[in-house]
Structure formats: C-alpha cells, structure tokens
Amino acid sequence: MNENKIIHKLLEVFEYKNKYQFQTSNIPSQDMYVLERIYYNKKLTIKEISKKYNIPPSTLTGIIDRLENKKLIQRFRKNTDRRTIELVTTPEGNTIVKKHIEEDELFSINLFNSLEKTKKETLKKLLEELLQNIEKDSLFSQNKTL
C-alpha cells in the first residue's frame, strides 16, 4: 500500500471515530474541539480561542452559540474589561468532555492494541518522530519528493 492509500485509510478510521463520538454526544467534532479547549484551559476568551486555534471569529461565534444553547458553556464578562467575554464549561459540559476523553482513550488503546507489543512500541516511536519533524506549512509544498 502506498503512502497516499495509507493516509486515506487512516482518515477513514478517524472519520469513523468522529461519527461514533457524534452519535454518543450529539456534538459535531468542531464544536467538541472548542468545548475541549475551554475545558482544558478552565476559561478562555473568544479572541484567545480564535487566535490560538486558528478558528475564524464568524465560525467560532456559531460554535459558541450552539454550545451555550446546549448549556455546555457559559459566557461571563470580565470585570477588568466589560467588553471581553470569558467562556467556561458548565457541569454538563465537563461531563460531556470527560466522557469524550474516556472514549478517546479507549479508541487509542484499541487502535494500538491491534498490533503485537513490539510493533506497537515501534509504531508509537515512529509516530512521535514523525510528529516532531512535521512542518505543517510544507505539507502541501510542490518541492517535496514522492
């Protein structure tokens, strides 16, 4: 199997993961991504999320509205600057993210356990090296050799 087919097969596996987790949470993957960022950071402003995670403000506004309507996050005005709105997860949001994390861990364990122990360890080391060496800006460059 060539590299392109491998990448597409991996994408299919992760697409299955996204679909499964949408069914268990009823939250689209992009919304879950934002909810997780808020959860992990305890509180974030809209501007921080937009800049740090490269999400356009217009897209982010829709995501935040949906998460707030589902009562998974709350908006608070900062005392120091009333124009700035901080986002925090609600207890319901915390529960959803914790369940999502558990599913992620189960997925990872089962994915890697599909290999025998030595191959699993080798793959993990190779993936770590790959991730350390990736230059995202060059992934679509014509200068790369195939």
Side-chain angles (χ1 to χ4, degrees):
M1 197 179 309
N2 69 27
E3 290 95 344
N4 192 41
K5 284 187 179 182
I6 292 170
I7 293 296
H8 281 85
K9 291 289 185 184
L10 282 171
L11 289 171
E12 286 176 17
V13 170
F14 286 102
E15 183 58 30
Y16 170 78
K17 175 189 176 291
N18 284 339
K19 285 180 182 177
Y20 177 90
Q21 289 184 307
F22 175 73
Q23 290 173 345
T24 62
S25 68
N26 199 32
I27 300 173
S29 58
Q30 193 173 29
D31 294 16
M32 182 62 77
Y33 180 80
V34 171
L35 181 61
E36 284 180 315
R37 304 293 70 78
I38 298 167
Y39 172 85
Y40 285 125
N41 287 280
K42 306 295 183 217
K43 61 176 131 175
L44 284 172
T45 65
I46 295 170
K47 189 176 189 177
E48 289 170 332
I49 296 171
S50 181
K51 281 186 177 181
K52 190 172 182 179
Y53 303 107
N54 298 315
I55 303 171
S58 58
T59 302
L60 189 56
T61 299
I63 292 170
I64 290 167
D65 288 345
R66 287 190 297 274
L67 293 173
E68 189 175 39
N69 288 337
K70 290 181 180 182
K71 305 206 181 318
L72 301 176
I73 63 168
Q74 286 183 308
R75 300 180 204 221
F76 292 101
R77 292 212 182 269
K78 271 181 104 168
N79 289 335
T80 55
D81 182 355
R82 301 283 297 153
R83 295 171 294 170
T84 303
I85 297 173
E86 290 182 323
L87 306 168
V88 297
T89 54
T90 63
E92 295 88 350
N94 292 336
T95 300
I96 293 280
V97 172
K98 287 176 186 174
K99 183 176 187 292
H100 185 79
I101 292 168
E102 288 172 7
E103 289 175 348
D104 283 351
E105 289 171 351
L106 188 60
F107 174 87
S108 298
I109 289 167
N110 289 326
L111 178 72
F112 282 100
N113 281 344
S114 63
L115 296 171
E116 58 187 58
K117 187 174 182 172
T118 55
K119 288 182 179 179
K120 175 173 85 169
E121 293 306 316
T122 301
L123 178 61
K124 285 168 52 176
K125 287 178 184 173
L126 289 170
L127 287 172
E128 285 176 13
E129 182 180 337
L130 177 74
L131 293 170
Q132 287 174 355
N133 293 334
I134 284 178
E135 294 177 22
K136 291 179 185 175
D137 292 341
S138 69
L139 286 174
F140 291 96
S141 171
Q142 293 291 331
N143 297 331
K144 294 286 181 182
T145 55
L146 297 176

